[in-house]
Amino acid sequence: IGSYTHCAFTNPGSGRFKPGTEANPHVGVKEVINSVDEVRIETFCERQRARAVVAAIRTAHPYEEPVIYLVPLLAEEDL
């Protein structure tokens, strides 16, 4: 962002989930509501790198279904 790199926002919290019978959870127990400490990470990347970034997250993340939101941003000059 401007002259800054490696910008991110992190927020600790509790993740809750109930793996189904066909799931293969990294943590937790099937058919039970589980709660684990997690950290939400918000960062940005250039649009043309988004596919590669998502692929890297899915490769590195231990969860079967990591939650990934992609939100396009507008630059001030585009307002």
Side-chain angles (χ1 to χ4, degrees), residues 36-76:
V36 295
D37 292 335
E38 295 184 325
V39 175
R40 178 180 178 161
I41 302 169
E42 297 179 19
T43 190
F44 71 97
C45 70
E46 296 166 335
R47 185 181 195 103
Q48 63 269 24
R49 299 188 65 203
R51 280 189 202 277
V53 170
V54 169
I57 292 169
R58 292 195 183 283
T59 297
H61 202 289
Y63 291 1
E64 283 182 285
E65 298 292 338
V67 177
I68 302 169
Y69 292 108
L70 301 175
V71 180
L73 300 177
L74 294 175
E76 263 186 88

